[in-house]
Amino acid sequence: MAATSLLLTPGPAAAAAATATFTKAASWGSGFEGRFTITNGGTTPLNGWEIALDMPSGAAISSSWDALMSRNGQRYVFKNVGWNGNLAPGATVNFGFIGTPGSAEPSNCTLNGNPCGDAQVPVPGKPGAPTVSGVTGDSISLSWRASSGTVTGYRVYEGTAVRATGSGTTATIGSLGSCETHTYTVKAYNSAGESPASEPVTGSTAGCTGGVPGKVGAVTASDVTSTSATLKWPAASGTVTGYRVYQGGTLKATVNATTATVSGLTACTTHSFTVRAYNDSGEGPASDPASVVTGGCDTGPLPKHFLTGYWHNFVNPAVEMKLGATPNEYDLIAVAFAEATSTPGRLDFKLDPALATAVGGYTEAEFKSDIAALHSRGKKVILSVGGELGRVQVGSGQAAAAFADSAYALMQEYGFDGVDIDLENGLNATYMAQALRQLRAKAGSDLIITMAPQTIDMQSTGMGYFQLALSIKDILTVVNMQYYNSGSMLGCDKNAAYSQGTVNFMTALACIQLENGLRPDQVALGLPAGAGAAGGGVVQPSMVNQALTCLARGTNCGSFVPPRTYPGIRGAMTWSINWDASHNWNFSKTVKPHLATLP
């Protein structure tokens, strides 16, 4: 994700008391997503905040979340919404907005009336498609059209490795082997960061007359099962008789096409393959390694593909219902939400009296009986921690222990099968990982751990939520990212910002998790059950099915096609069971049957 970051610091009167960081989290031609992180760096609580900024003439901010927005001409003011206004020392809070056009930059910012400083320049635009302008036996020269905006220089990438850096729009990559094939992209950069990557270009060095073939290009995997994987690659340059597929130094397959299926693999393990072209003169250079994670992982006490739904322990415009009324389409029910206590990390849970009244009476004993009844129907019930208003904080070893102890006590008291981490107001990945591992040690291997991060939390592995997911990958059940209330976001191709409410949005953002460390059985799609359940990103359930088919089989995709298939994709989540009831169970009745058709 290319992002513009700006630290907004109040003036001397509030020195070290609070700071606000502005990030242009995503940018496309017609708009951008802006995001603020406010941090209380002082030693006393911050009671309320207000950020004001100017937008250029012709620019506008169309919507915001987690803040109250008002406008006077081109001056916009954002105030806390009550629950996120009081920040303890060291605490942070976020809010975001959608602005237009993509090139617009805020200026004249203030935080609680103190000047914030000037906005920095945005990241450059995407460079034009590079072309191969010349080759020798050991080099490839490229040229491309200049990026828009302020440009310090350009970096030429081969995969994730920088192969050349310069200030002009040409570069020569040297020290290559003869008759090798290489694929490059170009990114512009300045003080704010890097632009989106250019379109890729592939070139081959000279020296292909006679001799061994050139280096094989990027190898990709598809149709991965627990014991096999199909590999594909572009044709090598030069005279080619066939190709040999290696796992380490072991020959796994010999073919005369540019695809091969490798079998006899071990389930739920990572395998690395290289491919070499050969002819009568010998083998060419090995391709770059391709990593494959086989299926067959232990999916725990839940089905291979399953549907998750949240149940409301509160009253809102959706249908109020007792937990036991959850229909059979749901495999996993997340009770929303556990409550914070005065002890950091410690959880509590009680039935909401207003909810009990709304459903005609509901006691703790009846609630526990409903959980037992769901268990008898083969369902699992977990306790969700957080939510939009949740203030659970796990920021120390002591808080981690309190979290684990209290979560386990609630599991024992009510019969919960695990926990869902839905902390929308920030988390400490290190201490939350400690808490979940301590809970696993208490509860055993059948403990269910799910997560429900926002899209911004999973844009890269540097995000706290993503760090947490990867650090507990060995005990994590599934990540149900919320594909809603987010505006447009970059996908794993980093070439476009996809609009929420589309198949492309779901598949391109799921691809980020799938290509950056999480197993397919640890990734599911979280969507609203219908109108009213979210402020944006509501889709027809049939579109959820389309996205799942695209990810699992590589068919029925939108314009974005994932780089490989993920037959083990885990399923779907919806907010919420109550909102599904409000829409005649359209979500669960549409999505649950489709899960049975996945590989």
Side-chain angles (χ1 to χ4, degrees):
M1 177 180 67
T4 302
S5 294
L6 169 63
L7 184 66
L8 307 178
T9 307
T19 59
T21 304
F22 170 72
T23 301
K24 183 174 277 191
S27 178
W28 53 102
S30 60
F32 70 91
E33 179 189 341
R35 202 161 184 79
F36 276 93
T37 299
I38 301 168
T39 303
N40 181 8
T43 58
T44 59
L46 177 67
N47 298 316
W49 49 263
E50 176 182 300
I51 287 181
L53 55 86
D54 290 333
M55 292 294 288
S57 176
I61 295 175
S62 58
S63 62
S64 66
W65 54 94
D66 296 337
L68 298 174
M69 182 178 75
S70 60
R71 177 181 182 180
N72 184 3
Q74 292 302 102
R75 187 71 172 172
Y76 290 82
V77 177
F78 301 89
K79 296 182 180 180
N80 62 272
V81 291
W83 57 264
N84 63 359
N86 296 322
L87 278 71
T92 63
V93 69
N94 302 300
F95 77 89
F97 59 84
I98 299 298
T100 58
S103 59
E105 290 292 327
S107 61
N108 302 322
C109 303
T110 61
L111 170 59
N112 290 347
N114 295 298
C116 300
D118 296 325
Q120 296 180 358
V121 297
V123 296
K126 176 181 175 180
T131 59
V132 176
S133 56
V135 298
T136 68
D138 63 356
S139 69
I140 296 175
S141 297
L142 306 176
S143 62
W144 57 88
R145 295 192 309 277
S147 297
S148 59
T150 301
V151 176
T152 301
Y154 297 88
R155 299 184 180 111
V156 178
Y157 285 86
E158 184 172 13
T160 58
V162 177
R163 298 304 188 196
T165 302
S167 58
T169 57
T170 62
T172 297
I173 301 94
S175 301
L176 306 177
S178 62
C179 198
E180 287 185 356
T181 300
H182 296 268
T183 300
Y184 301 104
T185 57
V186 179
K187 294 182 180 181
Y189 68 91
N190 59 21
S191 59
E194 286 188 331
S195 72
S198 70
E199 299 300 320
V201 63
T202 299
S204 299
T205 53
C208 293
T209 302
V212 299
K215 178 181 178 181
V216 173
V219 180
T220 59
S222 62
D223 299 326
V224 179
T225 71
S226 59
T227 59
S228 66
T230 298
L231 306 176
K232 298 179 182 180
W233 55 88
S237 56
T239 301
V240 177
T241 301
Y243 298 89
R244 296 183 179 123
V245 180
Y246 291 89
Q247 184 175 8
T250 302
L251 178 65
K252 302 296 290 186
T254 300
V255 295
N256 56 15
T258 57
T259 183
T261 298
V262 181
S263 57
L265 305 178
T266 303
C268 199
T269 54
T270 300
H271 303 266
S272 182
F273 299 100
T274 57
V275 178
R276 294 174 182 263
Y278 70 91
N279 59 22
D280 291 341
S281 298
E283 288 186 335
S287 68
D288 292 334
S291 182
V292 176
V293 180
T294 50
C297 299
D298 180 9
T299 56
L302 288 160
K304 181 178 181 180
H305 305 294
F306 68 88
L307 179 63
T308 300
Y310 285 82
W311 175 82
H312 298 183
N313 182 39
F314 51 84
V315 173
N316 75 350
V319 170
E320 288 90 18
M321 54 185 284
K322 295 182 179 181
L323 182 66
T326 300
N328 279 331
E329 281 79 6
Y330 287 97
D331 303 293
L332 179 64
I333 299 96
V335 172
F337 294 99
E339 301 169 357
T341 67
S342 58
T343 302
R346 184 168 297 280
L347 307 177
D348 193 14
F349 175 81
K350 298 294 180 186
L351 274 178
D352 178 30
L355 182 277
T357 299
V359 297
Y362 200 22
T363 66
E364 294 273 336
E366 290 172 327
F367 176 74
K368 293 174 183 178
S369 178
D370 278 349
I371 293 177
L374 287 167
H375 285 160
S376 71
R377 289 159 52 190
K379 311 303 179 182
K380 299 296 179 182
V381 184
I382 59 177
L383 180 60
S384 184
V385 179
E388 180 184 6
L389 304 181
R391 305 304 301 164
V392 176
Q393 296 286 334
V394 180
S396 67
Q398 186 176 4
F403 181 99
D405 291 342
S406 58
Y408 185 63
L410 291 170
M411 290 175 62
Q412 295 292 98
E413 179 181 357
Y414 288 92
F416 295 123
D417 299 290
V419 293
D420 169 65
I421 307 303
D422 184 17
L423 299 177
E424 299 181 15
N425 297 295
L427 60 77
N428 184 306
T430 299
Y431 291 114
M432 181 55 75
Q434 286 184 19
L436 293 173
R437 289 197 177 279
Q438 290 177 35
L439 179 59
R440 167 66 176 247
K442 294 173 180 291
S445 60
D446 283 341
L447 175 70
I448 295 171
I449 300 175
T450 69
M451 297 183 187
Q454 300 171 100
T455 52
I456 190 66
D457 297 320
M458 301 295 284
Q459 279 277 283
S460 78
T461 55
M463 303 293 189
Y465 248 110
F466 216 139
Q467 291 174 349
L468 173 62
L470 293 177
S471 70
I472 63 163
K473 180 179 175 180
D474 56 314
I475 62 173
L476 173 65
T477 306
V478 70
V479 174
N480 295 302
M481 190 171 77
Q482 302 175 37
Y483 293 77
Y484 49 93
N485 291 345
S486 67
S488 299
M489 287 283 175
L490 291 173
C492 67
D493 55 354
K494 298 187 182 295
N495 287 330
Y498 296 99
S499 299
Q500 65 179 351
T502 64
V503 170
N504 282 342
F505 185 82
M506 290 182 273
T507 54
L509 270 69
C511 174
I512 297 175
Q513 300 171 60
L514 293 161
E515 291 296 310
N516 286 278
L518 292 182
R519 303 190 310 264
D521 65 275
Q522 293 176 315
V523 177
L525 308 181
L527 280 306
V538 178
V539 300
Q540 290 297 318
S542 59
M543 293 176 62
V544 181
N545 291 350
Q546 183 181 346
L548 289 168
T549 298
C550 173
L551 293 165
R553 300 184 181 276
T555 60
N556 208 24
C557 300
S559 60
F560 172 83
V561 179
R564 69 195 87 250
T565 59
Y566 314 97
I569 192 75
R570 203 62 195 272
M573 171 274 281
T574 191
W575 178 266
S576 60
I577 295 170
N578 303 70
W579 281 109
D580 195 19
S582 300
H583 294 278
N584 198 31
W585 306 110
N586 188 35
F587 192 97
S588 56
K589 289 180 179 179
T590 303
V591 176
K592 174 60 177 180
H594 184 72
L595 296 177
T597 71
L598 299 180

